[in-house]
Amino acid sequence: MNASSNTKKNALRILMGMIAALALVIVFFVVYLVNMDTYNHTDRSVEPDSVSTEVTVDIHPRGQSTDSWEKDDAFEDKILYAKIYEATITNNSGTRLSDWTLRINISDDCYINNAWCGTVEIHQFIEGKENVQTLDLRDYTEDEVELYYIKGGQDLLIPLTKGDYIIYHPDEATGEYPITSAEGYSGEVNIGLIMYSFDEDTDLSDYVFDYHLQKLWYEGMGGFVFVIIFAAWIILMIFLIVLFRVSKGYKDMLYDEEKVLKDAVYLCLAMADGKDFRFQYHSLRTAEYAKRIAAQMGMDEKDCETVYNATRFHDVGNYYISDRIIGKPSALTKGEMELVKSHTTRGAGLLKKVSSMPLVQEAALYHHERYDGTGYPKGISGDDIPIIARIITAADAFDSMSHDRPYRDRLSMPEIKGEFTKNSGTQFDPAVVDAVLNIIDDLDQEVDI
């Protein structure tokens, strides 16, 4: 039996073991997903006497100087006292509070006049009959109100007595849900109610807060371990496919190898770009732009492919950055910005031993360097910056400017051209800018991702 046959048989044995191992991992992952689905669909609630570290509810008078007043035009001989109450819902769970309702049981006679920003489902019992209506108390007409009510001047007051209750349904459009939370970070929502009563205070202490929590599959140790194991499995599969190709010698095996390699690369890029849906496919688009710029600068086909392959991994270090920071809609703190900047060095460290793709480490490490030396992480300038990094800097900027970002809308093509011209010699290599401007109208065409 020759060495080729031995290699083929050994590879087949390993392949069967790998398939069995993958099947076992998939079974465990399915169990993990089932458990997560159960977690996400578990009905949860908080009441005044609950002991909960996940979610807290605090209903209290808002307490500002203009948040209470008297009304003397509802009754001839009685004065109503009005007060704005605030319900603060705090999510400390470390995951998303996906949906919720707040039921407030009425303990004594009062009137509800307004609530924001959601709708209020009012249950009013009159002479043993339950009247139910859901209203947006900020926006309605008197003709729409089917419940019993009275008028006090221009105000419509819906009376509530002991045994009645209201259910507040939050408004997603104004951010009342989902309420996000992460390790070391609590999400919070405040809602308001205007209540009238003959006493100066309305008792709103009896409530039931119903909610669901939601985890994504990749959150937590289970999802992280699955991604690592699956990525390792794909790498080993690539190695086995290479062995099969050598032993069999069929030309179609090269196609299969490249297809699996493409899938593996796609998985790695998805883990980096998938941190925030707004940056989906960013690395693949940037790689295509870089390849076109390299061709315009006179590089041959092989060098252009090298630029393309290396550029795909320029942001792989983003995998180490927290989802909360990557997707943060507001300005980053100094510490958070330093963490974001670290994706260059972390990505380069991750790619240090990747020898099959030239310049991939340089692409990750230097793509945020600026031509005038004010970039990071090294602060190098001019021709000291590898040419591939200077090309990626321009391609990366074009992709950013031509797509919407949390802090601005996409720029027009004339605006993009103006930015490249203005920053030539400072942020960008002038030679690269010349190449970009020569083909910039073609760069805006759909890229193959």
Side-chain angles (χ1 to χ4, degrees), residues 318-332:
N318 279 342
Y319 183 72
Y320 292 100
I321 311 302
S322 166
D323 295 1
R324 178 175 65 85
I325 296 176
I326 290 289
K328 187 175 180 180
S330 57
L332 298 178

Side-chain angles (χ1 to χ4, degrees), residues 8 87 153 214 312 335 420:
K8 181 178 178 180
Q214 182 186 48
R312 288 186 295 176
F420 274 109

Side-chain angles (χ1 to χ4, degrees), residues 292-299 371 382-383 387 390-391 394 420-421 423-439:
R292 296 180 187 180
I293 295 169
Q296 178 65 25
M297 295 181 70
M299 294 186 183
Y371 196 73
D383 292 342
I387 183 61
R390 284 178 268 156
I391 291 173
F420 274 109
T421 301
N423 292 288
S424 178
T426 54
Q427 181 178 359
F428 307 116
D429 180 345
V432 176
V433 170
D434 290 341
V436 170
L437 294 178
N438 284 334
I439 60 170

Side-chain angles (χ1 to χ4, degrees), residues 272-327:
D273 289 351
K275 286 283 187 174
D276 190 323
F277 70 93
R278 291 166 293 199
F279 297 92
Q280 192 175 28
Y281 304 125
H282 162 73
S283 295
L284 294 173
R285 290 194 305 266
T286 301
E288 182 62 29
Y289 301 146
K291 179 181 178 181
R292 296 180 187 180
I293 295 169
Q296 178 65 25
M297 295 181 70
M299 294 186 183
D300 61 28
E301 184 176 350
K302 181 179 179 181
D303 287 341
C304 289
E305 283 301 312
T306 297
V307 169
Y308 175 81
N309 289 327
T311 303
R312 288 186 295 176
F313 290 87
H314 76 282
D315 271 342
V316 74
N318 279 342
Y319 183 72
Y320 292 100
I321 311 302
S322 166
D323 295 1
R324 178 175 65 85
I325 296 176
I326 290 289

Side-chain angles (χ1 to χ4, degrees), residues 122-247:
I122 302 173
H123 293 250
Q124 181 188 68
F125 292 86
I126 299 178
E127 297 179 352
K129 180 182 177 182
E130 182 181 18
N131 299 320
V132 182
Q133 187 176 7
T134 300
L135 292 169
D136 182 346
L137 293 176
R138 301 171 304 155
D139 183 20
Y140 66 93
T141 64
E142 189 173 340
D143 293 339
E144 294 173 342
V145 181
E146 301 170 359
L147 301 167
Y148 173 66
Y149 66 89
I150 65 172
K151 291 294 293 294
Q154 297 298 316
D155 294 323
L156 187 147
L157 308 177
I158 300 174
L160 300 169
T161 60
K162 185 175 181 178
D164 294 348
Y165 61 93
I166 62 175
I167 300 176
Y168 183 87
H169 297 274
D171 179 39
E172 183 178 12
T174 58
E176 291 184 338
Y177 77 93
I179 307 175
T180 57
S181 173
E183 184 177 355
Y185 166 78
S186 297
E188 187 174 278
V189 164
N190 292 294
I191 66 173
L193 299 167
I194 297 180
M195 306 295 295
Y196 286 81
S197 68
F198 293 110
D199 298 322
E200 292 191 12
D201 289 303
T202 302
D203 185 1
L204 303 179
S205 62
D206 186 9
Y207 63 84
V208 179
F209 182 79
D210 293 313
Y211 65 100
H212 291 95
L213 295 177
Q214 182 186 48
K215 287 184 179 179
L216 300 178
W217 71 267
Y218 51 81
E219 294 179 333
M221 184 58 67
F224 177 78
V225 170
F226 175 78
V227 170
I228 296 300
I229 292 176
F230 188 64
W233 187 90
I234 289 180
I235 292 172
L236 288 174
M237 284 297 297
I238 295 171
F239 175 74
L240 289 174
I241 289 172
V242 172
L243 289 180
F244 275 122
R245 176 175 172 268
V246 170
S247 63

Side-chain angles (χ1 to χ4, degrees), residues 396-410:
D396 193 22
F398 178 82
D399 187 68
S400 177
M401 289 187 282
S402 60
H403 290 81
D404 292 336
R405 288 293 181 259
Y407 46 87
R408 57 144 179 83
D409 295 331
R410 63 179 296 175

